Amino acid sequence: MKHTTPLRAAVAALLLTVGLGAAQAGVASAVPLPEPAAAPSASAGLLDAMRRDLGLTASQAEERLSAEKAAAAVEKTARQATGGAYGGSWYEPSTGRLVVAVTDRAKESAARALGADTRLVRHSAAALDRAKARLDTLRAPAGVAGWYVDPRTNSVVVTVVRTEREALAVRAFVDRARAGGPVTVAETAQAPRTYAAGTVGGDPYYTGNVRCSIGFSVYGGFVTAGHCGHAGAAVRGWDGSAMGTFQGSSFPGNDYAYVGIHSGWWTVPVVLGWGTIPDQLVRGSAEAPLGASICRSGATTHWHCGTVLAKNETVNYSQGAVHQMTKTSVCAEGGDSGGSFLSGDQAQGVTSGGWGNCSSGGQTWFQPINEILGRYGLRLHTA
């Protein structure tokens, strides 16, 4: 990261204020970063973004962020407590609590003891995952946008493009899907597409004639979307100077990549707020539950918020299917690919693609960050 613009100067000033320092490319700081004494309260800018995109007042946004943090902690222990009866879980905004689905009434008390609400269902999460895995072996027609396990309907949801629902190929795919397990069909207005864009000048990085967005800093570089470049491809920074090289990339099947950066650039645990909100520090990568609020930063449309709509979805792009994606109600546009998804101060994933735009709305998918870190053996740069 270089700092010749006011925005980048502000990022540098922020880091100096909190005493983080920076590590040169490929080299971790020799001095361990201190653990924060307490999580900071949400900034006014973040609360304003949630007001704009989620229709919340500042106090409602504060309360929701606090409740979602508690729900994320409960979700992990609830899965263990209910064992094979676990049917999935989600955050319910109307109550501010996590809902845990179980197939065995005797396990409800274990989830409730952790502070969760419960719902008795027929199919376990493991059974639904197996049904989805069978769908992943099929080749889907263009009119099928994707499929995912939905604990709220206790089924595998197959999403089809509204205008293609009656197409013979789509109907045949849905019939095969239903033969393999509990399936619900939902409609979407458009097919998903990736958010790479042609070179137009400006932020944040370029490879060939494609402009994409940095996801999150890791020691030695950053993670981003795989469709933005192939392994070995050179990367130029926002100012056009040599920045680094794609060390690994996967697309389709997955949509993630790791870029190693050159000397003269360095990593910082920051996501740009683009003047909409203050630049955000990244403090970890705890996964937000289904239904939680989530925000995205990207080079084209900057900062927008929404909610988590689905997890572990298979998205059927024209280039091929991508697995284990998370669907959100956040908008995005060309050039936002690879950008950061955050829940509070926790990294969630990198922008892959979607449909719609930030004028009329739409949906966007991201590849979860923890999967990327594990795949390449990377360590997230945190504050």
Side-chain angles (χ1 to χ4, degrees), residues 71-91:
V74 170
E75 183 176 45
K76 183 177 181 179
T77 51
R79 180 187 294 266
Q80 298 171 339
T82 54
Y86 181 73
S89 56
W90 63 95
Y91 175 78

PDB file of all heavy atoms in Angstrom, residues 71-91:
ATOM      1  N   ALA A  71     -24.937 -14.094  18.957  1.00  0.00           N
ATOM      2  CA  ALA A  71     -25.480 -15.226  18.205  1.00  0.00           C
ATOM      3  C   ALA A  71     -24.380 -16.045  17.554  1.00  0.00           C
ATOM      4  O   ALA A  71     -24.451 -17.279  17.490  1.00  0.00           O
ATOM      5  CB  ALA A  71     -26.465 -14.729  17.151  1.00  0.00           C
ATOM      6  N   ALA A  72     -23.349 -15.370  17.053  1.00  0.00           N
ATOM      7  CA  ALA A  72     -22.235 -16.083  16.418  1.00  0.00           C
ATOM      8  C   ALA A  72     -21.535 -16.999  17.417  1.00  0.00           C
ATOM      9  O   ALA A  72     -21.116 -18.112  17.072  1.00  0.00           O
ATOM     10  CB  ALA A  72     -21.249 -15.082  15.830  1.00  0.00           C
ATOM     11  N   ALA A  73     -21.417 -16.542  18.657  1.00  0.00           N
ATOM     12  CA  ALA A  73     -20.784 -17.365  19.693  1.00  0.00           C
ATOM     13  C   ALA A  73     -21.664 -18.557  20.055  1.00  0.00           C
ATOM     14  O   ALA A  73     -21.178 -19.680  20.250  1.00  0.00           O
ATOM     15  CB  ALA A  73     -20.501 -16.518  20.926  1.00  0.00           C
ATOM     16  N   VAL A  74     -22.984 -18.333  20.132  1.00  0.00           N
ATOM     17  CA  VAL A  74     -23.910 -19.410  20.473  1.00  0.00           C
ATOM     18  C   VAL A  74     -23.949 -20.465  19.368  1.00  0.00           C
ATOM     19  O   VAL A  74     -24.033 -21.672  19.641  1.00  0.00           O
ATOM     20  CB  VAL A  74     -25.322 -18.844  20.715  1.00  0.00           C
ATOM     21  CG1 VAL A  74     -26.353 -19.973  20.832  1.00  0.00           C
ATOM     22  CG2 VAL A  74     -25.339 -17.986  21.971  1.00  0.00           C
ATOM     23  N   GLU A  75     -23.873 -20.034  18.117  1.00  0.00           N
ATOM     24  CA  GLU A  75     -23.992 -20.960  16.989  1.00  0.00           C
ATOM     25  C   GLU A  75     -22.940 -22.062  17.053  1.00  0.00           C
ATOM     26  O   GLU A  75     -23.241 -23.246  16.826  1.00  0.00           O
ATOM     27  CB  GLU A  75     -23.867 -20.201  15.666  1.00  0.00           C
ATOM     28  CG  GLU A  75     -24.060 -21.074  14.441  1.00  0.00           C
ATOM     29  CD  GLU A  75     -24.021 -20.271  13.154  1.00  0.00           C
ATOM     30  OE1 GLU A  75     -23.131 -19.416  13.017  1.00  0.00           O
ATOM     31  OE2 GLU A  75     -24.883 -20.500  12.289  1.00  0.00           O
ATOM     32  N   LYS A  76     -21.738 -21.710  17.372  1.00  0.00           N
ATOM     33  CA  LYS A  76     -20.653 -22.693  17.405  1.00  0.00           C
ATOM     34  C   LYS A  76     -20.895 -23.761  18.465  1.00  0.00           C
ATOM     35  O   LYS A  76     -20.735 -24.963  18.213  1.00  0.00           O
ATOM     36  CB  LYS A  76     -19.326 -21.977  17.660  1.00  0.00           C
ATOM     37  CG  LYS A  76     -18.119 -22.892  17.634  1.00  0.00           C
ATOM     38  CD  LYS A  76     -16.836 -22.104  17.811  1.00  0.00           C
ATOM     39  CE  LYS A  76     -15.619 -23.018  17.771  1.00  0.00           C
ATOM     40  NZ  LYS A  76     -14.345 -22.243  17.917  1.00  0.00           N
ATOM     41  N   THR A  77     -21.300 -23.336  19.663  1.00  0.00           N
ATOM     42  CA  THR A  77     -21.516 -24.299  20.741  1.00  0.00           C
ATOM     43  C   THR A  77     -22.817 -25.076  20.555  1.00  0.00           C
ATOM     44  O   THR A  77     -22.911 -26.243  20.959  1.00  0.00           O
ATOM     45  CB  THR A  77     -21.527 -23.589  22.102  1.00  0.00           C
ATOM     46  OG1 THR A  77     -22.449 -22.482  22.053  1.00  0.00           O
ATOM     47  CG2 THR A  77     -20.150 -23.034  22.436  1.00  0.00           C
ATOM     48  N   ALA A  78     -23.809 -24.461  19.925  1.00  0.00           N
ATOM     49  CA  ALA A  78     -25.088 -25.146  19.710  1.00  0.00           C
ATOM     50  C   ALA A  78     -24.926 -26.318  18.751  1.00  0.00           C
ATOM     51  O   ALA A  78     -25.562 -27.370  18.918  1.00  0.00           O
ATOM     52  CB  ALA A  78     -26.127 -24.172  19.174  1.00  0.00           C
ATOM     53  N   ARG A  79     -24.103 -26.156  17.756  1.00  0.00           N
ATOM     54  CA  ARG A  79     -23.853 -27.251  16.813  1.00  0.00           C
ATOM     55  C   ARG A  79     -23.278 -28.468  17.553  1.00  0.00           C
ATOM     56  O   ARG A  79     -23.657 -29.613  17.308  1.00  0.00           O
ATOM     57  CB  ARG A  79     -22.895 -26.784  15.724  1.00  0.00           C
ATOM     58  CG  ARG A  79     -22.567 -27.852  14.683  1.00  0.00           C
ATOM     59  CD  ARG A  79     -21.478 -27.372  13.746  1.00  0.00           C
ATOM     60  NE  ARG A  79     -21.919 -26.267  12.929  1.00  0.00           N
ATOM     61  CZ  ARG A  79     -22.436 -26.395  11.712  1.00  0.00           C
ATOM     62  NH1 ARG A  79     -22.596 -27.608  11.199  1.00  0.00           N
ATOM     63  NH2 ARG A  79     -22.811 -25.345  11.021  1.00  0.00           N
ATOM     64  N   GLN A  80     -22.349 -28.200  18.470  1.00  0.00           N
ATOM     65  CA  GLN A  80     -21.741 -29.283  19.235  1.00  0.00           C
ATOM     66  C   GLN A  80     -22.737 -29.894  20.222  1.00  0.00           C
ATOM     67  O   GLN A  80     -22.796 -31.125  20.386  1.00  0.00           O
ATOM     68  CB  GLN A  80     -20.521 -28.757  19.992  1.00  0.00           C
ATOM     69  CG  GLN A  80     -19.416 -28.228  19.074  1.00  0.00           C
ATOM     70  CD  GLN A  80     -18.321 -27.504  19.843  1.00  0.00           C
ATOM     71  OE1 GLN A  80     -18.541 -27.063  20.971  1.00  0.00           O
ATOM     72  NE2 GLN A  80     -17.141 -27.388  19.239  1.00  0.00           N
ATOM     73  N   ALA A  81     -23.558 -29.051  20.859  1.00  0.00           N
ATOM     74  CA  ALA A  81     -24.480 -29.527  21.886  1.00  0.00           C
ATOM     75  C   ALA A  81     -25.591 -30.401  21.325  1.00  0.00           C
ATOM     76  O   ALA A  81     -26.077 -31.315  22.005  1.00  0.00           O
ATOM     77  CB  ALA A  81     -25.080 -28.346  22.635  1.00  0.00           C
ATOM     78  N   THR A  82     -26.019 -30.142  20.091  1.00  0.00           N
ATOM     79  CA  THR A  82     -27.138 -30.893  19.513  1.00  0.00           C
ATOM     80  C   THR A  82     -26.679 -32.075  18.661  1.00  0.00           C
ATOM     81  O   THR A  82     -27.496 -32.920  18.278  1.00  0.00           O
ATOM     82  CB  THR A  82     -28.028 -29.975  18.668  1.00  0.00           C
ATOM     83  OG1 THR A  82     -27.220 -29.290  17.686  1.00  0.00           O
ATOM     84  CG2 THR A  82     -28.721 -28.930  19.541  1.00  0.00           C
ATOM     85  N   GLY A  83     -25.393 -32.145  18.339  1.00  0.00           N
ATOM     86  CA  GLY A  83     -24.837 -33.303  17.648  1.00  0.00           C
ATOM     87  C   GLY A  83     -25.537 -33.636  16.345  1.00  0.00           C
ATOM     88  O   GLY A  83     -25.810 -32.773  15.516  1.00  0.00           O
ATOM     89  N   GLY A  84     -25.864 -34.926  16.173  1.00  0.00           N
ATOM     90  CA  GLY A  84     -26.484 -35.384  14.930  1.00  0.00           C
ATOM     91  C   GLY A  84     -27.882 -34.861  14.715  1.00  0.00           C
ATOM     92  O   GLY A  84     -28.425 -34.967  13.607  1.00  0.00           O
ATOM     93  N   ALA A  85     -28.495 -34.265  15.747  1.00  0.00           N
ATOM     94  CA  ALA A  85     -29.842 -33.697  15.603  1.00  0.00           C
ATOM     95  C   ALA A  85     -29.813 -32.270  15.079  1.00  0.00           C
ATOM     96  O   ALA A  85     -30.872 -31.674  14.834  1.00  0.00           O
ATOM     97  CB  ALA A  85     -30.575 -33.727  16.947  1.00  0.00           C
ATOM     98  N   TYR A  86     -28.612 -31.716  14.904  1.00  0.00           N
ATOM     99  CA  TYR A  86     -28.494 -30.326  14.456  1.00  0.00           C
ATOM    100  C   TYR A  86     -29.054 -30.175  13.046  1.00  0.00           C
ATOM    101  O   TYR A  86     -28.672 -30.892  12.122  1.00  0.00           O
ATOM    102  CB  TYR A  86     -27.029 -29.907  14.488  1.00  0.00           C
ATOM    103  CG  TYR A  86     -26.766 -28.483  14.062  1.00  0.00           C
ATOM    104  CD1 TYR A  86     -27.103 -27.411  14.878  1.00  0.00           C
ATOM    105  CD2 TYR A  86     -26.162 -28.208  12.835  1.00  0.00           C
ATOM    106  CE1 TYR A  86     -26.850 -26.107  14.499  1.00  0.00           C
ATOM    107  CE2 TYR A  86     -25.893 -26.903  12.441  1.00  0.00           C
ATOM    108  CZ  TYR A  86     -26.244 -25.856  13.275  1.00  0.00           C
ATOM    109  OH  TYR A  86     -25.985 -24.567  12.893  1.00  0.00           O
ATOM    110  N   GLY A  87     -29.976 -29.214  12.888  1.00  0.00           N
ATOM    111  CA  GLY A  87     -30.610 -28.988  11.594  1.00  0.00           C
ATOM    112  C   GLY A  87     -30.256 -27.664  10.961  1.00  0.00           C
ATOM    113  O   GLY A  87     -30.883 -27.246   9.989  1.00  0.00           O
ATOM    114  N   GLY A  88     -29.238 -26.967  11.506  1.00  0.00           N
ATOM    115  CA  GLY A  88     -28.856 -25.655  10.997  1.00  0.00           C
ATOM    116  C   GLY A  88     -29.309 -24.560  11.948  1.00  0.00           C
ATOM    117  O   GLY A  88     -30.044 -24.820  12.916  1.00  0.00           O
ATOM    118  N   SER A  89     -28.899 -23.343  11.688  1.00  0.00           N
ATOM    119  CA  SER A  89     -29.277 -22.225  12.554  1.00  0.00           C
ATOM    120  C   SER A  89     -29.243 -20.927  11.781  1.00  0.00           C
ATOM    121  O   SER A  89     -28.639 -20.837  10.709  1.00  0.00           O
ATOM    122  CB  SER A  89     -28.342 -22.152  13.769  1.00  0.00           C
ATOM    123  OG  SER A  89     -26.988 -22.061  13.353  1.00  0.00           O
ATOM    124  N   TRP A  90     -29.891 -19.912  12.345  1.00  0.00           N
ATOM    125  CA  TRP A  90     -29.914 -18.599  11.713  1.00  0.00           C
ATOM    126  C   TRP A  90     -30.234 -17.532  12.751  1.00  0.00           C
ATOM    127  O   TRP A  90     -30.859 -17.798  13.775  1.00  0.00           O
ATOM    128  CB  TRP A  90     -30.925 -18.548  10.566  1.00  0.00           C
ATOM    129  CG  TRP A  90     -32.359 -18.754  10.969  1.00  0.00           C
ATOM    130  CD1 TRP A  90     -33.296 -17.803  11.259  1.00  0.00           C
ATOM    131  CD2 TRP A  90     -33.029 -20.022  11.129  1.00  0.00           C
ATOM    132  NE1 TRP A  90     -34.490 -18.371  11.584  1.00  0.00           N
ATOM    133  CE2 TRP A  90     -34.365 -19.735  11.518  1.00  0.00           C
ATOM    134  CE3 TRP A  90     -32.629 -21.354  10.976  1.00  0.00           C
ATOM    135  CZ2 TRP A  90     -35.297 -20.745  11.750  1.00  0.00           C
ATOM    136  CZ3 TRP A  90     -33.565 -22.354  11.222  1.00  0.00           C
ATOM    137  CH2 TRP A  90     -34.876 -22.043  11.598  1.00  0.00           C
ATOM    138  N   TYR A  91     -29.802 -16.310  12.451  1.00  0.00           N
ATOM    139  CA  TYR A  91     -30.109 -15.162  13.303  1.00  0.00           C
ATOM    140  C   TYR A  91     -31.469 -14.615  12.914  1.00  0.00           C
ATOM    141  O   TYR A  91     -31.754 -14.412  11.726  1.00  0.00           O
ATOM    142  CB  TYR A  91     -29.036 -14.090  13.144  1.00  0.00           C
ATOM    143  CG  TYR A  91     -29.332 -12.813  13.897  1.00  0.00           C
ATOM    144  CD1 TYR A  91     -29.133 -12.734  15.269  1.00  0.00           C
ATOM    145  CD2 TYR A  91     -29.814 -11.689  13.230  1.00  0.00           C
ATOM    146  CE1 TYR A  91     -29.421 -11.565  15.962  1.00  0.00           C
ATOM    147  CE2 TYR A  91     -30.097 -10.520  13.918  1.00  0.00           C
ATOM    148  CZ  TYR A  91     -29.896 -10.464  15.281  1.00  0.00           C
ATOM    149  OH  TYR A  91     -30.173  -9.308  15.967  1.00  0.00           O
TER     150      TYR A  91
END
